[in-house]
Amino acid sequence: MRPIATSIFTQPQSTARIMMIRPVQFGFNNETAGSNEFQQKEYAIKTNQIAQEKAQEEFDLMISQLSLTGLDLHIFDDTDEVYRPDAVFSNNWISFHQSGKVVLYPMMAENRRAERRLDIIEELKKDFLVEEVIDLTHFENEGKFLEGTGSMVLDRRYKIAYACLSPRTHAEVLDAFAEALGYEIVTFSASDENDKAIYHTNVLMCVGDIFAIVCLEAIKNPDERLKVRRILEDTNKYIIEISLDQVRHFAGNMLMVRNLKGDKFLMMSTQAYDALTEKQHEILLDYAKIIHTDLSIIEGYGGGSARCMMTEIHLPLR
């Protein structure tokens, strides 16, 4: 049995406070397509004329669903000053931690680096305590990247970061994150049905408080697969396995949240919900109420889903 970090007693896994960015120039990003097999270029070409309008409709519907739960939502509009087709995926460039630390991440695509907005941090400082901003963006100069809680799936209670290595997730930047935040890093390789590296860990894995959704099938190395399973079990997680086909439908791209009363919710897209079996639905409902909403345009163009759109705010309140 691995030792249990003392932070389990102070650090909740989920939060009621979420930051999201409303898209203004949403579209297919050619700079990210080479490493993201989930982007559908043919679909994007067919629907190009309605992409921004439909993406904003999907975003606003998701906001309305989340608002009904009693979450504390912090919504910012993207601007049209700079072209940011993936701005809706805010969890890639920033993360917020209970220690008061904020981390800025190195992004692989040059046009995604403009998503980092210091004005958002300044606005959040009105409600939250920010003790330190840890800037890892200098790794971009070395061609080394780590795209936030897309590249890592954090178990905040045990201070473990799960990360599948890919062109967007570099071991050296993971080490820098670990040193700055006091996390243990669990790395592995993961690939899809065509043996193509899976670009982000959060499309194949979701860690809740006492459960974990994971595609162990994607971890082809048996030793790495066993390592991930054992650490999940040793940190008291009930493992819900999903298939590569379910990953393709974003069934790993979920986030557990809780409202200010402590009620738990699991947010996902309708495509992800439909990809799960009835048995998986039943199991998940033991842990949280499921919320799902149509994100077809955002998923098809951006190659990301509900979890990618939600940036958890764990900062202390003022």
Side-chain angles (χ1 to χ4, degrees):
M1 178 72 71
R2 64 193 306 281
I4 296 176
T6 55
S7 61
I8 184 174
F9 301 113
T10 58
Q11 172 69 81
Q13 175 64 10
S14 59
T15 179
R17 299 176 174 90
I18 301 293
M19 182 192 85
M20 297 179 69
I21 309 290
R22 180 177 284 106
V24 169
Q25 300 183 77
F26 183 80
F28 188 87
N29 190 346
N30 285 302
E31 287 192 27
T32 60
S35 59
N36 185 344
E37 290 292 302
F38 293 79
Q39 288 179 250
Q40 302 173 37
K41 190 163 190 175
E42 290 184 6
Y43 172 76
I45 291 171
K46 291 178 183 177
T47 56
N48 183 55
Q49 298 301 317
I50 60 169
Q52 166 55 29
E53 178 185 347
K54 290 296 183 183
Q56 201 161 75
E57 288 177 8
E58 290 177 355
F59 180 91
D60 289 338
L61 180 58
M62 181 172 167
I63 293 299
S64 67
Q65 295 269 50
L66 290 171
S67 296
L68 292 174
T69 68
L71 288 174
D72 179 20
L73 299 176
H74 296 257
I75 312 300
F76 297 89
D77 287 324
D78 189 24
T79 69
D80 56 9
E81 298 167 0
V82 181
Y83 180 57
R84 291 184 280 241
D86 285 327
V88 71
F89 301 132
S90 58
N91 81 314
N92 295 147
W93 63 268
I94 194 167
S95 64
F96 304 101
H97 301 267
Q98 192 184 39
S99 59
K101 294 180 179 180
V102 175
V103 185
L104 298 176
Y105 294 96
M107 310 281 281
M108 184 176 179
E110 288 189 22
N111 67 5
R112 292 209 64 191
R113 298 170 190 176
E115 294 172 27
R116 296 189 293 252
R117 289 174 52 189
L118 299 183
D119 64 301
I120 288 178
I121 299 174
E122 291 303 311
E123 186 64 26
L124 290 173
K125 281 181 179 179
K126 296 176 181 178
D127 297 313
F128 302 99
L129 289 172
V130 174
E131 299 291 346
E132 181 183 5
V133 176
I134 298 165
D135 190 347
L136 300 178
T137 63
H138 60 89
F139 281 102
E140 289 170 350
N141 299 325
E142 303 173 39
K144 299 170 183 175
F145 313 109
L146 183 69
E147 298 187 339
T149 52
S151 287
M152 301 177 291
V153 172
L154 303 182
D155 185 335
R156 293 177 185 263
R157 299 180 74 183
Y158 289 88
K159 301 201 82 171
I160 296 171
Y162 296 90
C164 66
L165 299 176
S166 77
R168 303 199 195 185
T169 304
H170 195 281
E172 189 174 332
V173 196
L174 282 166
D175 288 342
F177 171 86
E179 183 176 353
L181 276 296
Y183 269 71
E184 173 188 346
I185 305 296
V186 178
T187 59
F188 53 91
S189 297
S191 54
D192 64 16
E193 60 277 8
N194 300 313
D195 288 327
K196 185 93 172 181
I198 292 178
Y199 80 109
H200 275 166
T201 313
N202 76 357
V203 297
L204 65 91
M205 190 175 194
C206 165
V207 172
D209 49 1
I210 53 175
F211 71 93
I213 300 160
V214 61
C215 181
L216 292 172
E217 179 187 358
I219 307 173
K220 307 298 171 59
N221 182 298
D223 293 333
E224 291 184 339
R225 189 186 314 127
L226 181 60
K227 174 182 68 174
V228 171
R229 178 186 285 279
R230 282 183 172 171
I231 292 175
L232 288 171
E233 290 174 343
D234 288 350
T235 51
N236 306 309
K237 303 295 188 295
Y238 180 87
I239 297 173
I240 302 158
E241 288 196 53
I242 56 174
S243 67
L244 280 170
D245 183 65
Q246 289 176 312
V247 167
R248 181 64 62 183
H249 292 89
F250 296 101
N253 198 246
M254 309 174 183
L255 182 66
M256 191 188 84
V257 295
R258 57 184 169 86
N259 64 18
L260 295 171
K261 296 188 296 183
D263 302 320
K264 298 175 184 177
F265 302 88
L266 189 60
M267 186 69 206
M268 66 187 73
S269 72
T270 296
Q271 180 182 186
Y273 179 84
D274 290 343
L276 296 172
T277 66
E278 285 303 313
K279 180 63 175 176
Q280 288 168 330
H281 289 160
E282 291 173 11
I283 294 170
L284 289 172
L285 285 169
D286 285 339
Y287 299 106
K289 181 178 179 180
I290 295 175
I291 306 172
H292 64 89
T293 188
D294 179 29
L295 296 172
S296 301
I297 291 288
I298 289 174
E299 289 171 330
Y301 275 71
S305 189
R307 195 279 169 264
C308 303
M309 299 165 62
M310 305 171 70
T311 303
E312 306 144 278
I313 303 175
H314 283 267
L315 296 170
L317 289 169
R318 282 197 170 279

